[in-house]
Amino acid sequence: EIVLTQSPGTLSLSPGERATLSCRASQSVSSGYLAWYQQKPGQAPRLLMYDASRWATGTPDRFSGSGSGTDFTLTISRVEPEDFAVYYCQQYGSSPITFGQGTRLEMK
Amino acid sequence: EVQLVESGGRLVQPGGSLRLSCTASGFSFSNFWMSWVRQAPGKGLEWVANIKQDGDKKFYVDSVKGRFTISRDNAKNSLYLQMNSLGVEDTAVYYCARDGYGGYQVYWGQGSLVTVSS
């Protein structure tokens, strides 16, 4: 099983700042099959990125994904008020599919 | 518009059984892999199981193998999760999701709460 470790656990930023979220895998993620999700309180998760760097439909272009192998990053170029939420990475290249433990993006 | 509506969640005693259902609309259900993902109260996401379009391939997380069974009825646009031998660790919101072409979850239902407690 591939274990995904996200850092930091909590990221405190002000609107307009740049956010960098990390996801590190315990072994190489096959074909860069890594996705990012956003979840707000009381809501279902929302797919943001897949295949490490492809935008899901409706994802604003201030979000970008990068990485390969074992190190992946989700970047928000300028955080908007609606971006404060929990973010999860997920690998789907190996069974079982696994999620990271999440990074909480909170307003400073 | 894609819609996924889960039902069947409730309070159940340890050792009990429960069947969750998910009714899909707004897309061609038989063309897509489907998944169940759960989230324990205050915790992160855990993928539980997925099933191929025609139902002939199914995959599970180790913690539910032998206890949970995923199935689908394409004629009814429905996905199911039969859960047996439930333990308190199975308490969670269970989400039904439509997979993308790689195994990630594109569309999610609003979830169904399963509480296992005596």
Side-chain angles (χ1 to χ4, degrees), chain B residues 39-54:
Chain B
Q39 187 169 35
K43 302 298 184 183
L45 301 170
E46 180 180 40
W47 173 83
V48 174
N50 63 2
I51 184 169
K52 194 181 172 191
Q53 290 93 327
D54 57 7

Side-chain angles (χ1 to χ4, degrees), chain B residues 5-23:
Chain B
V5 180
E6 302 94 339
S7 60
R10 61 173 174 85
L11 174 64
V12 61
Q13 290 194 334
S17 297
L18 200 59
R19 187 201 201 200
L20 299 182
S21 300
C22 170
T23 302

Side-chain angles (χ1 to χ4, degrees), chain B residues 7-118:
Chain B
S7 60
R10 61 173 174 85
L11 174 64
V12 61
Q13 290 194 334
S17 297
L18 200 59
R19 187 201 201 200
L20 299 182
S21 300
C22 170
T23 302
S25 60
F27 66 100
S28 182
F29 181 75
S30 61
N31 285 352
F32 292 91
W33 282 75
M34 297 292 295
S35 285
W36 288 99
V37 177
R38 68 183 179 182
Q39 187 169 35
K43 302 298 184 183
L45 301 170
E46 180 180 40
W47 173 83
V48 174
N50 63 2
I51 184 169
K52 194 181 172 191
Q53 290 93 327
D54 57 7
D56 73 343
K57 286 188 177 179
K58 305 173 185 181
F59 297 92
Y60 300 91
V61 68
D62 281 353
S63 59
V64 309
K65 280 180 184 175
R67 300 189 300 123
F68 289 12
T69 302
I70 189 172
S71 63
R72 65 192 296 162
D73 184 337
N74 288 341
K76 294 183 178 179
N77 289 342
S78 292
L79 177 71
Y80 306 102
L81 186 67
Q82 177 65 43
M83 303 184 291
N84 299 330
S85 302
L86 284 162
V88 294
E89 68 277 9
D90 297 314
T91 294
V93 173
Y94 285 74
Y95 293 102
C96 163
R98 194 196 92 177
D99 286 5
Y101 293 104
Y104 48 89
Q105 286 69 61
V106 182
Y107 295 99
W108 299 65
Q110 280 306 298
S112 184
L113 177 62
V114 173
T115 303
V116 184
S117 176
S118 55

